[in-house]
Amino acid sequence: MPGLYLEITISWLTAVNTRLSRWAMYIAVAGLIGIVAVVVSSVFWRYVLNDSPIWSEQVALLLAITVAMFGGSAGVRDEGHIGLESLIGFLPEKQQFWIGSLVGVITVVFGVALGWGALNMGIAVKPNAIPTLGISEFYRYLPCIVAGVLIVSFSIEHLIAMFTNKKVVPSWH
């Protein structure tokens, strides 16, 4: 019976996480396009119109945080994170499994720490405004909060897949 429950859970979680991972990458790509647009327009305003926009640096910073957090979380889902596969490949299969499990647990802990820490920081600075934008400082931490939740969900999916002897199909295959 527990095996059936895990099968249903992994099927449901894979369906949800595949979509979330794709949307995380879409947001990261949109943020990257936004950074290029902001920087190019800022250079144009500064050197052609001789009138530098005061908001461009803060917008570019928010977009850079968004690109890093959403791109990084999508990388966790598709196992694009840094690993020592060549060294682990020399170990017996049982040890590879337990090291993979340990990495999965550490990644869950990292995701929880990222999300929880960003949430606490965001709440602490919520009354403050981002200079030149007039919006709450909380928005600087929002991508980190969401990325933490995504990393936890993606890592749990990988752990369940490992223990049910399944393979997580990357979102971008």
Side-chain angles (χ1 to χ4, degrees), residues 6-23:
L6 283 177
E7 290 286 333
I8 293 169
T9 302
I10 191 72
S11 297
W12 175 82
L13 195 56
T14 296
V16 170
N17 281 349
T18 299
R19 286 173 182 80
L20 289 174
S21 177
R22 283 180 182 247
W23 277 103

Side-chain angles (χ1 to χ4, degrees), residues 99-129:
I99 288 174
S101 300
L102 178 63
V103 168
V105 170
I106 290 170
T107 308
V108 168
V109 170
F110 170 77
V112 168
L114 174 66
W116 185 252
L119 179 63
N120 287 327
M121 287 295 294
I123 290 169
V125 299
K126 189 176 181 182
N128 304 331

Side-chain angles (χ1 to χ4, degrees), residues 18-30 66-67 69-75 146 150 154 172:
T18 299
R19 286 173 182 80
L20 289 174
S21 177
R22 283 180 182 247
W23 277 103
M25 191 54 74
Y26 294 150
I27 291 169
V29 169
T66 301
V67 168
M69 292 296 109
F70 283 94
S73 63
V146 175
L150 291 175
F154 298 159
W172 305 95

Side-chain angles (χ1 to χ4, degrees), residues 4-158:
L4 178 63
Y5 176 73
L6 283 177
E7 290 286 333
I8 293 169
T9 302
I10 191 72
S11 297
W12 175 82
L13 195 56
T14 296
V16 170
N17 281 349
T18 299
R19 286 173 182 80
L20 289 174
S21 177
R22 283 180 182 247
W23 277 103
M25 191 54 74
Y26 294 150
I27 291 169
V29 169
L32 194 57
I33 292 168
I35 290 171
V36 170
V38 167
V39 171
V40 168
S41 66
S42 180
V43 168
F44 175 79
W45 274 319
R46 178 174 291 156
Y47 293 107
V48 176
L49 302 177
N50 201 25
D51 183 27
S52 182
I54 61 172
W55 51 265
S56 62
E57 181 181 352
Q58 295 299 323
V59 171
L61 180 60
L62 284 171
L63 290 171
I65 293 167
T66 301
V67 168
M69 292 296 109
F70 283 94
S73 63
V76 169
R77 169 62 169 66
D78 291 348
E79 294 186 308
H81 50 82
I82 297 171
L84 299 174
E85 297 296 325
S86 58
L87 293 177
I88 294 173
F90 290 120
L91 297 174
E93 204 166 302
K94 189 172 183 175
Q95 288 177 335
Q96 289 179 21
F97 173 82
W98 288 112
I99 288 174
S101 300
L102 178 63
V103 168
V105 170
I106 290 170
T107 308
V108 168
V109 170
F110 170 77
V112 168
L114 174 66
W116 185 252
L119 179 63
N120 287 327
M121 287 295 294
I123 290 169
V125 299
K126 189 176 181 182
N128 304 331
I130 295 175
T132 71
L133 293 181
I135 62 174
S136 173
E137 284 276 357
F138 181 81
Y139 291 105
R140 275 195 215 279
Y141 296 95
L142 191 56
C144 301
I145 296 166
V146 175
V149 171
L150 291 175
I151 288 169
V152 168
S153 181
F154 298 159
S155 298
I156 288 172
E157 177 188 11
H158 281 286

